[in-house]
C-alpha cells in the first residue's frame, strides 16, 4: 500500500486532475491511497472570504464565494461531462450551502474564531477531493471518497492541530483497508481532520503533506509520495534561484531540517510520522510523469557538495529584549523564558547575553500578549520583515572553514547579517537577514556552494575585497552568542508535532 499526495497546483484545473488520474493509474498494483489539497489558491480565497465576512462586508465575501463555486462546478463539468457532473452537483452543493450559510452567519456575528476558521478552510479540501474521486471513476479508476474528518483525529489546537495517532490509526484502519481489499482507491482531502468528538480541525498551512504522512504511518504504508509542481526537493527554492538542482537522495534528518527552515515543498512535520515508521518519502513532479524526484530515507549517501541545500524562511520578526535598568540581572533570563512558556511560544534562533536576549519567531505567530508581558521587565523592540537563511548538510561541523566561507560569501553579496545560529543543530548553519536581501544572499550562496562542478574544498577568494569581506563576516560571527531551540518529544502524539525532530 502506498500514499500519494497531490498538492494544490497538481489539482488546480481539469487538465491537472487528468494528469493526476494518469499518474495514479500507473501505480494501481501498489494499492494507492490518494490525498489531495484544495485547488490552488482556494485556501487563500476562503481566508479572504472569511475576513471580509467578519468585517461585515457580506456582499464582497459572497462575490468571492460565487467565483469559487463556479470554478468547482466548471472543473467538475469539464472532467465529468454534463450528465455525470449533474449527479455530483448535489454533493458539491451541500458543502457549498454550508459554506454560504457560515459566511452569512459570520457577517452577522463578525468574529472569526480559530475554530470557525478551521471549519471554513475545510471546504477547500472537501470540494477538491469529491471532484477528484468522481474524475477517477469516469476514467475507469475505482475510487471511493473518504471523509478525512472521520479518519484523522487531532487535539483541539485549532489552525495547527496535533494528530492523536492511536485514535487516528483505529479509525483509519476501520475505513481504509476494507476499501483497498475491494480494490477501491480511497481519495481523501489533506490538511483537514477532526477532534475525537467530530469538530473540524486543520493541521496548519501546507498540511496536506502532513496528512499523507499521518495516514501512511497509521496504515504502515510502503512509501509516501508527495507530488508537487517542482522536480523534487532542490538545492534551494527554484523560484529564488533558477539554477537550483534536484537532490536525488537525502536523509530524513536533513530533509526535516530543510522543511522546518522554509523549504515549502514539505510541511515541516511531514517527516515525523515517516521517521517513526521508517517509511521512505518521495517528492515528485506531477507535471512530469517520468519524474524520479527526491528519495528521502533514514540514510542517504553523502553529498558531493558541502551542503545539501539552502532555505529561506520569510516573515520573521526579531525581538530584542534588554533588561530594564533596576531589574535584577539574576533571574532575568528565567523570567523571559517563563513568559515564553506561558504564551506557548516556540522560537527559532536565540542570542543571549547577561542582560539581553534576542529571539526570532514567525511574525504571524508572535503573541502580542507576550510582548506586553516582557515590557514589564525589559525594554522590548521588535523588527519585522526579517528572514532566516539556513544551510543544511550532514557532518558540516567536523569541517573547518565552512562558517567563514558562508559569511564571506554573504559579505561579498553586500548583505548584513542580523543574528547567527551554528551549533545548536549538528547539521545546519542559520542566520537572519532582512527579507529584501534574501534573493541576493541565496543566489550568491548557491553559486558558491553549488557550482556547476562540485567544490572539492571550501573555496575562498584571494583578492583584497574577499579578505575584507572575510574580516567583516568573522567579526559578525563572534558578535552574538548562538543558539536554537528544539521541542522536547515525549510520546508518540507529541512527537508528531510541527516542530523539529
Ligand atoms: P504543493 O501545492 O504541491 O503542496 P507547495 O507550493 O506547497 O506545493 O510547495 C512547492 C513549492 O515549494 C515549489 O513551487 C517551490 O517554489 C517551493 N520550494 C521552496 N524550497 C524548495 C526546495 N528546496 N525544493 C523544492 N521546492 C522548494
Ligand atoms: N490547502 C491547504 C493550504 O493551502 C493545505 C495544503 O495545500 O497542503 O495551506
Ligand atoms: Mg504544500
Amino acid at each position: 500500500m502506498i500514499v500519494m499526495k497531490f498538492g494544490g497546483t497538481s489539482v488546480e484545473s481539469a487538465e491537472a486532475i487528468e494528469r493526476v488520474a494518469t499518474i495514479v493509474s500507473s501505480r494501481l498494483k501498489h494499492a494507492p491511497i490518494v490525498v489531495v489539497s484544495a485547488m490552488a489558491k482556494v485556501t487563500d480565497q476562503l481566508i479572504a472570504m472569511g475576513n471580509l465576512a467578519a468585517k461585515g462586508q457580506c456582499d464582497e465575501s459572497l462575490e468571492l464565494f460565487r467565483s469559487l463555486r463556479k470554478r468547482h462546478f466548471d472543473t467538475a463539468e469539464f472532467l465529468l461531462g454534463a450528465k455525470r457532473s449533474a449527479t455530483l452537483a448535489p454533493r458539491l452543493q451541500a458543502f457549498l450551502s454550508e459554506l454560504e450559510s457560515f459566511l452569512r452567519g459570520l457577517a452577522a456575528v463578525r468574529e472569526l474564531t480559530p475554530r470557525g476558521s478551521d471549519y471554513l478552510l475545510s471546504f477547500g479540501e472537501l470540494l477538491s477531493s469529491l471532484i477528484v474521486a468522481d474524475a477517477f471513476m469516469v476514467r475507469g479508476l475505482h475510487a471511493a471518497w473518504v471523509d478525512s474528518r472521520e479518519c484523522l483525529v487531532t487535539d483541539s489546537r485549532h489552525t495547527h492541530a496535533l494528530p492523536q495517532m492511536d485514535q487516528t490509526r483505529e479509525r483509519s484502519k476501520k475505513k481504509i483497508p476494507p476499501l483497498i481489499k475491494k480494490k477501491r482507491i480511497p481519495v481523501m482531502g489533506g490538511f483537514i481532520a477532526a477532534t475525537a468528538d467530530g469538530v473540524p480541525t486543520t493541521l496548519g498551512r501546507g498540511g496536506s503533506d502532513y496528512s499523507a504522512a499521518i495516514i501512511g504511518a497509521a496504515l504502515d504504508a510502503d512509501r509516501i509520495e508527495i507530488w508537487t509542481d517542482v522536480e523534487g526537493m532542490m538545492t534551494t527554492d527554484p523560484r529564488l534561484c533558477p539554477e537550483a538542482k534536484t537532490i536525488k537522495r537525502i536523509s530524513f534528518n536533513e530533509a526535516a531540517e530543510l522543511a522546518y527552515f522554509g523549504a515549502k515543498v514539505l510541511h515541516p512535520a511531514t517527516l515525523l510520522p515517516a521517521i517513526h515508521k521508517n517509511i521512505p518519502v518521495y517528492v515528485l513532479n506531477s507535471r512530469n510523469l517520468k519524474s524520479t524526484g527526491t528519495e528521502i530515507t533514514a540514510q542517504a549517501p553523502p553529498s558531493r557538495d558541502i551542503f545539501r541545500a539552502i532555505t529561506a524562511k520569510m516573515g520573521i520578526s526579531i525581538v530584542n529584549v534588554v533588561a530594564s535598568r533596576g531589574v535584577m540581572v539574576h533571574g532575568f533570563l528565567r523570567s523571559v523564558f517563563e513568559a515564553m512558556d506561558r504564551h506557548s511560544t516556540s522560537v527559532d534562533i536565540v542570542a543571549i547575553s547577561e542582560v539581553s536576549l534576542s529571539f526570532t519567531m514567525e511574525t504571524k505567530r508572535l503573541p502580542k500578549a507576550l510582548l506586553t508581558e516582557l515590557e514589564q521587565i525589559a525594554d522590548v523592540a521588535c523588527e519585522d520583515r526579517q528572514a532566516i537563511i539556513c544551510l543544511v548538510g550532514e557532518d558540516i561541523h567536523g569541517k573547518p572553514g565552512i562558517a567563514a566561507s558562508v559569511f564571506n560569501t554573504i559579505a561579498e553579496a553586500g548583505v548584513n547579517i542580523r543574528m547567527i545560529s551554528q551549533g545548536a543543530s549538528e547539521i545546519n548553519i542559520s542566520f537572519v537577514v532582512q527579507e529584501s536581501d534574501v534573493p541576493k544572499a541565496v543566489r550568491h550562496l548557491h553559486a558558491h556552494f553549488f557550482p556547476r562542478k562540485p567544490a572539492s574544498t571550501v573555496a575562498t577568494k584571494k583578492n583584497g575585497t574577499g579578505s575584507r569581506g572575510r574580516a567583516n563576516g568573522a567579526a559578525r560571527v563572534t558578535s552574538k552568542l548562538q543558539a536554537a531551540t528544539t521541542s522536547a518529544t515525549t510520546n508518540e502524539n507529541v512527537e508528531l508535532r510541527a516542530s523539529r525532530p
Side-chain angles (χ1 to χ4, degrees), residues 5 206 209 264-265:
K5 176 261 171 178
D209 304 327
K264 188 184 166 232
V265 65

Side-chain angles (χ1 to χ4, degrees), residues 83 173 223 242 360 394 412 443:
K83 209 162 145 208
K173 278 194 167 158
R223 56 197 260 149
T360 66
E394 236 148 34
E412 282 162 14
R443 278 186 214 131

Side-chain angles (χ1 to χ4, degrees), residues 108 113 142 226 233 245 379 383 430 432 441 496:
T113 60
H142 203 31
I226 306 292
M233 275 200 120
K245 299 183 281 193
D379 297 325
E383 297 168 70
S430 36
V432 182
L496 300 189

